[in-house]
Amino acid sequence: MLSAHQPFETYPALIREAAHEAGGVAQVAGGVPAMCDGVTQGQPGMELSLFSRDVIAMAAGIGLSHNMFDAAVYLGVCDKIVPGLAIAALTLGHLPAVFIPAGPMTTGLPNDEKAKVRQLFAEGKVGRDELLEAESKSYHGPGTCTFYGTANSNQMLMEIMGFHLPGA
């Protein structure tokens, strides 16, 4: 459902295929619940945002608790999923791990144009339909959110810490 997670839909099959070609076996240990602050803003579930990190860490830890794995590949984006998965990875520090990001969202409406429409809306010069159209054009593709917020910050931090390949 969430644009930042959509690219991961096909990753398990790709990872299994790559592992098989290298003579290994890959299995999905489990999935974790995910939410997006951009979607939950103003909704009853919004207050669960930070709490979800603990649930994500626990779900990943339980999925990997069978002592059946030689390594782990973590698929995650943003300020809830990445820290939750990092907690799980550090808890299971005996397993080599790599994090794979979803990649960047394709650029939509530039920020200065979006800001102009927001300003015009605030001044009452354009209506809600024009505002929603501009917002929809801003984030129109799959991948990590385009604004410099926590999703990008977490992806950069994972790269800086050596959990992502450089430039990921």
Side-chain angles (χ1 to χ4, degrees):
M1 178 186 123
L2 306 176
S3 62
H5 309 144
Q6 188 277 334
F8 291 139
E9 183 175 359
T10 60
Y11 279 35
L14 295 171
I15 293 167
R16 278 199 275 301
E17 183 180 323
H20 179 73
E21 288 175 8
V25 176
Q27 294 190 16
V28 175
V32 299
M35 65 181 302
C36 174
D37 291 340
V39 175
T40 61
Q41 288 297 312
Q43 301 299 316
M46 185 174 118
E47 69 277 359
L48 298 174
S49 178
L50 296 179
F51 177 72
S52 70
R53 290 177 179 171
D54 293 334
V55 174
I56 292 163
M58 186 170 61
I62 290 169
L64 292 168
S65 69
H66 301 92
N67 202 24
M68 299 288 294
F69 303 99
D70 296 319
V73 175
Y74 295 93
L75 307 176
V77 177
C78 89
D79 67 332
K80 279 94 36 209
I81 299 158
V82 171
L85 293 177
I87 292 167
L90 294 169
T91 301
L92 299 161
H94 63 284
L95 289 176
V98 65
F99 284 71
I100 300 177
M105 180 184 289
T106 53
T107 302
L109 188 68
N111 285 338
D112 58 343
E113 289 180 41
K114 183 173 64 171
K116 183 177 180 180
V117 174
R118 286 178 173 175
Q119 181 64 39
L120 291 171
F121 178 76
E123 294 171 5
K125 295 179 180 175
V126 300
R128 181 174 168 80
D129 289 342
E130 291 87 355
L131 175 66
L132 291 176
E133 182 181 347
E135 294 294 335
S136 295
K137 287 180 179 178
S138 299
Y139 308 106
H140 69 282
T144 303
C145 301
T146 56
F147 70 96
Y148 291 112
T150 54
N152 279 314
S153 302
N154 272 266
Q155 299 305 309
M156 291 170 40
L157 181 61
M158 297 307 284
E159 183 175 325
I160 291 165
M161 293 185 342
F163 288 117
H164 281 176
L165 293 173

